[in-house]
Amino acid sequence: MASSKHNGELRRLALSVLQPGFVGTEAPDWVLRDIGDGLASVVLFSRNIVSTEQVARLTAQLRAENPELIVAIDEEAGDVTRIESATGSSRPGNFALGTVDDTELTEAVAADLGRQLRTAGVSLDYAPSADVNSNPDNPIIGVRSFGSDPDVVSRHTTAWIRGLQSSGVAACAKHFPGHGDVAVDSHHDLPAYGAGRDEIAAQALPPFRAALAAGVRAVMSGHLLVPAYDPDLPATLSRRILRDLLRHELGFDGLVVSDAIEMGAVTRRYGIDGATVKAVAAGVDAICVGGESAEEATTELLVKALAAAVAAGELPEERLAEAAGRVREFAAWSAALRASAGGAGEAAGDGIGHLAARRAVRLTGAAREALPLTAAPHVVELAPVTNMAIGKETPWGVAGPLRERLPGTTSVRVRDEELREGTLELTSCALEPAAGRPLVVVARDAARHPWMSRALTGLTTARPDAIVVEMGLPGTTTAAPAQIFTHGASAASGVAAADVLTGRD
């Protein structure tokens, strides 16, 4: 009897440290049962979302089982959006905000997002990205960062946290200790950050220190190797990084959340169950899982792995109980934060996102001379393969909003694989339809994609009057005299670019 009771308590503790995702726009029965058994958190993705109103019904259904349930979402705005994945974000992302460098504007954008999330019933947002994008070839951060200057990133991290939490939604600074200087996408393999401790302290850690000073109560670990602190284990699995650096040196006493535990950076070597056990043992309090592995079987696998690790002495029961206690404390605090926001606005939509995106647009002198467009253009959008954080289906680009302003606008979207496989001829899809008409070429992070740089060179050589709209990190990718830079590829950035192209204020 005592053993059965103890096993039941272990299951409850194990459930409480998981933040699983699920499939569907209504809560599956297994999720509701697990909440009754001790599950304290869930995380939502775009597959769970149709509208703010529908998400509000979903979160109400979930909280009927536990009023303090943590409902998390991976919503950065800009290129990484879940709540607006069907339409593209109506707000620009971090890099655009850092380019404007107006902390009051950043705070207002985050507060606007917070009101929408709170209306939907979300209590924890996995944002902001506090990473300093010091490597322009970084395949996973890029425009998700406020910039490459630690001071800029620090002050906008502070403003974002202040704005989001003023609306009743808890922020989560990520990806500790800083994911901005890597060359490998952690969704697929383990990246390394090879700087020494002094450089890390000066470059990567200031935004996290700023986040803690701003009152952030959740920090997400990054799946990257940082040999200066631990030559063997990635940060998510490293006691030296999570306990010695984050807890003791930086003084953080809030909730440590893992990045998605099914990512290749940790599962290729340890498996999803082994990575989960090692993460909790190292100091993670809540395991984010379900971006890809969203089945009941995955949750059960991790529950059993945690319980078995306690039984085998691989995971001290005291550590599991400590993690569960931090989850409970955070759940109570975040519920009080939601309640304290009161009537802080029912929904987003005050135009702050459009204003911010428009302020982030920059033009070369030649672009000013060529604008506004007076005839419907042909638009060529060069589309890279996006990383898994962004997703494949989120709308982006300039052609749609241009078509609304200039009926008769035509467009084609060119993809990497089409050019590599020789199935697409740029002359026929881009130059021939643009004969006698303006040509607008839209690129996204062209400096990081050689095929795109080559296509840009070919198009602008054939049509020197083409206007190039760069929707990612600006780079020396083309000699086109007329260029527009939006500093992000959100829907808001596309609308802002269309405003500039057509002369709309």
Side-chain angles (χ1 to χ4, degrees):
M1 178 70 100
S3 176
S4 175
K5 182 178 180 181
H6 183 246
N7 288 341
E9 178 59 22
L10 277 183
R11 174 176 171 78
R12 177 170 288 274
L13 289 175
L15 274 172
S16 70
V17 304
L18 300 180
Q19 292 191 346
F22 55 88
V23 176
T25 56
E26 296 184 357
D29 289 342
W30 69 267
V31 171
L32 299 177
R33 286 197 306 270
D34 280 353
I35 294 172
D37 289 343
L39 184 69
S41 315
V42 296
V43 57
L44 304 181
F45 293 94
S46 56
R47 61 176 177 248
N48 306 118
I49 295 167
V50 174
S51 66
T52 301
E53 294 74 20
Q54 168 265 321
V55 178
R57 292 192 296 271
L58 170 60
T59 55
Q61 180 190 16
L62 292 163
R63 287 210 175 91
E65 305 296 323
N66 175 5
E68 291 190 349
L69 183 77
I70 301 167
V71 178
I73 195 170
D74 187 15
E75 174 61 51
E76 300 176 14
D79 289 26
V80 179
T81 181
R82 313 298 179 215
I83 199 72
E84 295 183 298
S85 61
T87 58
S89 179
S90 60
R91 306 169 185 89
N94 286 359
F95 188 58
L97 295 171
T99 297
V100 177
D101 199 12
D102 178 344
T103 54
E104 291 185 1
L105 180 66
T106 295
E107 183 173 347
V109 169
D112 182 57
L113 173 62
R115 287 191 292 272
Q116 183 178 17
L117 295 180
R118 181 181 175 276
T119 298
V122 171
S123 55
L124 170 62
D125 186 11
Y126 296 153
S129 169
D131 307 294
V132 179
N133 196 58
S134 48
N135 180 357
D137 293 326
N138 189 325
I140 187 63
I141 300 300
V143 296
R144 301 168 65 194
S145 167
F146 290 110
S148 58
D149 183 332
D151 290 338
V152 170
V153 177
S154 295
R155 59 177 172 262
H156 287 278
T157 294
T158 295
W160 179 276
I161 291 167
R162 190 164 55 228
L164 188 73
Q165 295 193 163
S166 73
S167 294
V169 177
C172 178
K174 64 186 184 184
H175 308 80
F176 188 82
H179 216 304
D181 192 8
V182 301
V184 172
D185 185 343
S186 50
H187 288 93
H188 306 298
D189 210 338
L190 180 63
Y193 178 23
R197 290 195 180 195
D198 289 346
E199 183 179 343
I200 293 170
Q203 184 74 17
L205 294 183
F208 291 98
R209 293 185 184 275
L212 270 57
V216 81
R217 295 286 292 270
V219 170
M220 177 177 282
S221 64
H223 298 332
L224 70 161
L225 195 68
V226 189
Y229 285 95
D230 192 328
D232 302 313
L233 294 169
T236 297
L237 314 184
S238 172
R239 183 181 179 88
R240 296 177 188 177
I241 292 174
L242 298 183
R243 305 285 285 193
D244 298 347
L245 176 58
L246 179 58
R247 293 285 189 209
H248 298 153
E249 184 175 330
L250 271 62
F252 180 62
D253 63 355
L255 184 76
V256 176
V257 183
S258 78
D259 204 348
I261 204 67
E262 63 262 52
M263 290 165 63
V266 291
T267 58
R268 282 169 66 93
R269 182 171 179 182
Y270 302 104
I272 191 171
D273 49 349
T276 295
V277 170
K278 287 182 176 296
V280 175
V284 168
D285 303 309
I287 299 291
C288 173
V289 62
E292 300 169 71
S293 304
E295 306 82 14
E296 178 183 7
T298 299
T299 297
E300 286 303 308
L301 172 67
L302 300 188
V303 167
K304 290 176 181 177
L306 289 166
V310 170
E314 299 171 9
L315 172 63
E317 186 170 348
E318 294 78 10
R319 166 79 274 268
L320 183 61
E322 177 190 49
R326 282 211 176 91
V327 171
R328 287 194 301 273
E329 290 171 4
F330 183 87
W333 173 79
S334 61
L337 184 69
R338 288 180 64 241
S340 69
E346 285 302 311
D350 61 5
I352 191 66
H354 178 263
L355 171 65
R358 181 64 185 82
R359 287 183 61 186
V361 176
R362 302 289 185 268
L363 289 75
T364 63
R368 291 188 180 89
E369 295 167 6
L371 299 176
L373 296 175
T374 56
H378 182 60
V379 181
V380 179
E381 294 178 334
L382 304 175
V385 175
T386 54
N387 63 58
M388 292 179 67
I390 294 172
K392 296 180 180 180
E393 305 303 327
T394 303
W396 69 279
V398 174
L402 264 183
R403 196 171 289 114
E404 294 177 2
R405 290 158 173 74
L406 292 172
T409 294
T410 56
S411 65
V412 63
R413 182 161 285 186
V414 179
R415 302 182 186 278
D416 178 11
E417 60 269 20
E418 294 170 324
L419 287 182
R420 281 191 286 109
E421 295 172 3
T423 58
L424 195 72
E425 174 56 53
L426 278 176
T427 301
S428 61
C429 77
L431 299 179
E432 291 175 8
R437 303 170 57 192
L439 175 63
V440 176
V441 182
V442 183
R444 184 173 181 176
D445 289 327
R448 297 211 318 242
H449 301 284
W451 73 270
M452 195 181 298
S453 295
R454 291 192 298 269
L456 273 175
T457 298
L459 290 169
T460 55
T461 298
R463 282 287 301 265
D465 63 331
I467 299 171
V468 174
V469 180
E470 171 58 84
M471 299 196 73
L473 293 173
T476 55
T477 58
T478 177
Q483 292 179 271
I484 297 172
F485 302 95
T486 63
H487 303 97
S490 70
S493 296
V495 170
D499 287 348
V500 171
L501 286 163
T502 58
R504 180 179 296 185
D505 292 332

